[in-house]
Amino acid sequence: MSGSGRPPALTLVAAVGANGVIGSDGGLPWRLKSDMKHFRAVTMGKPVVMGRKTYLSLPGPLKGRTNIVVSRDPDFTAPGILAARTLNAALDAARGDALRRGADAIAVIGGADIYQQVIAGADSLVITHVQISPKGDRTFPPIDSAVWIEAAREEHQPGPDDDASFSVVTYTRR
Ligand SMILES: NC(=O)c1ccc[n+]([C@@H]2O[C@H](COP(=O)([O-])OP(=O)(O)OC[C@H]3O[C@@H](n4cnc5c(N)ncnc54)[C@H](OP(=O)(O)O)[C@@H]3O)[C@@H](O)[C@H]2O)c1
């Protein structure tokens, strides 16, 4: 059971440029070390669900988290991950993992393809709004203010290894 006794929440975690861009050429369009720390803290101990392309952009599985990677390729597998052939299978596996670990949420960590498919069923969004508009080829779906309301906001000035200032905003459903 999760700590609260409720089923785990479905949370999208993303860093989004002022123009909606989240990715470029298979990677991130900025250097933002402070956000990597924030990402680690927000996702630690939770199952993380991601698309194959996002997984391949990482140096390897994220430590301390069950990595569930979605691919339609029946041969896709990698050490240290759980491969799922459908998004529903991935979310089912994540729910089971969260219940076993006592985690209160499942973190859906991208990329664009996955966010687009999952946002309609999400309970919350944890968005790092990066205050630059980089060139890129992947975007986050629009955050509809008729659906989502800001529940918390933290402003961050850039640290020595950050390309820009950023705000971390948690959205919940109205
Ligand atoms: N800024 C951020 O917060 C952030 C976060 C994550 C990623 N990114 C960036 O986003 C980009 C990657 O995003 P992307 O949209 O190209 O790819 P993606 O969402 O990471 O992965 C797409 C792949 O996932 C699999 N997939 C998608 N839907 C599926 C479904 N319903 N059932 C089974 N498999 C499914 C397919 O894999 P197969 O082709 O193997 O079938 C598909 O090609 C990169 O640039 C990355 O750096 C940014």
Side-chain angles (χ1 to χ4, degrees), residues 14-15 22-24 26-28 30 51-54 57 70-73 85-87 109-115 117 138:
I22 65 163
S24 176
L28 296 175
W30 45 63
R52 176 186 57 84
K53 293 178 186 173
T54 292
S57 77
V70 198
S71 169
R72 297 183 180 92
D73 177 355
R85 302 300 164 232
T86 67
L87 212 37
I109 61 164
D113 192 359
I114 300 301
Y115 292 139
Q117 295 175 70
R138 293 292 185 277

Side-chain angles (χ1 to χ4, degrees), residues 5-126:
R6 286 193 294 265
L10 193 57
T11 301
L12 269 54
V13 183
V16 184
N19 55 355
V21 165
I22 65 163
S24 176
D25 266 340
L28 296 175
W30 45 63
R31 194 177 58 132
L32 214 55
K33 199 166 179 189
S34 307
D35 189 54
M36 305 306 279
K37 282 190 197 151
H38 151 77
F39 174 82
R40 188 173 188 278
V42 168
T43 57
M44 189 49 67
K46 300 182 175 73
V48 290
V49 173
M50 72 195 97
R52 176 186 57 84
K53 293 178 186 173
T54 292
Y55 173 69
L56 292 177
S57 77
L58 302 175
L62 299 172
K63 295 194 179 96
R65 292 147 280 188
T66 300
N67 289 233
I68 302 168
V69 181
V70 198
S71 169
R72 297 183 180 92
D73 177 355
D75 296 327
F76 175 75
T77 183
I81 66 144
L82 190 61
R85 302 300 164 232
T86 67
L87 212 37
N88 278 343
L91 295 174
D92 280 349
R95 275 183 212 104
D97 183 74
L99 291 172
R100 279 190 298 279
R101 285 169 173 260
D104 60 359
I106 296 163
V108 176
I109 61 164
D113 192 359
I114 300 301
Y115 292 139
Q116 179 68 49
Q117 295 175 70
V118 177
I119 191 168
D123 299 301
S124 62
L125 315 175
V126 178

